[in-house]
Structure formats: structure tokens, C-alpha cells
């Protein structure tokens, strides 16, 4: 689990704490940071770090913070 990841307006590659050959699950939990983010989309599950982006209620890219659970092998 990676805690309190800052997601910029163009998204972020999640910094991994261990190496993976494959990532099977990326489960972001949007944190209430007072911003406008309404949901998070997982763009890819790259083993260098999954790419995630945050969107507001109008589906416009925005910033956010999230706790992210990653499972793989």
C-alpha cells in the first residue's frame, strides 16, 4: 500500500516500494483533501508504476490525493 500519493493534474505514476513482474490489482482510495476530485481512473498497470489520473464531477482532469493498494507478483 502506498499512502497519501499526490496526483497532479496530468496524473502520476505511483511510486512502488517493491519490484513486480506483473501488477494485477490497482485499488486507489480517493482522500478528502478539500479539492474537486470526484473519481480516479487507472490508465495502466505498468510495472514501473501504475499511471492514475484524477477527475472532477465534470470529468475534467484535476489534482487529488489517494491511498493506493497494489497487488502483483
Amino acid at each position: 500500500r502506498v499512502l497519501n500519493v499526490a496526483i497532479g493534474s496530468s496524473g502520476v505514476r505511483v511510486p512502488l516500494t517493491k519490484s513486480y513482474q506483473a501488477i494485477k490489482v490497482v485499488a486507489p482510495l480517493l482522500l478528502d483533501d478539500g479539492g474537486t476530485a470526484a473519481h480516479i481512473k487507472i490508465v495502466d498497470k505498468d510495472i514501473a508504476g501504475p499511471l492514475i489520473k484524477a477527475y472532477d464531477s465534470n470529468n475534467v482532469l484535476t489534482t487529488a490525493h489517494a491511498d493506493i493498494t497494489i497487488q502483483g507478483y
Side-chain angles (χ1 to χ4, degrees):
R1 178 177 249 196
V2 186
L3 301 177
N4 201 29
V5 175
I7 304 168
S9 60
S10 60
V12 68
R13 286 226 174 259
V14 179
L16 299 178
T17 57
K18 66 183 211 177
S19 297
Y20 293 93
Q21 293 179 356
I23 293 176
K24 294 296 187 181
V25 175
V26 179
L29 174 64
L30 181 62
L31 300 176
D32 183 3
D33 63 359
T36 61
H39 62 278
I40 296 173
K41 291 183 181 178
I42 301 159
V43 178
D44 68 35
K45 296 179 183 177
D46 192 290
I47 61 171
L51 177 60
I52 61 173
K53 295 183 178 185
Y55 295 84
D56 66 16
S57 59
N58 294 314
N59 215 29
V60 176
L61 284 167
T62 189
T63 61
H65 286 83
D67 290 344
I68 304 162
T69 300
I70 297 172
Q71 295 177 349
Y73 57 89

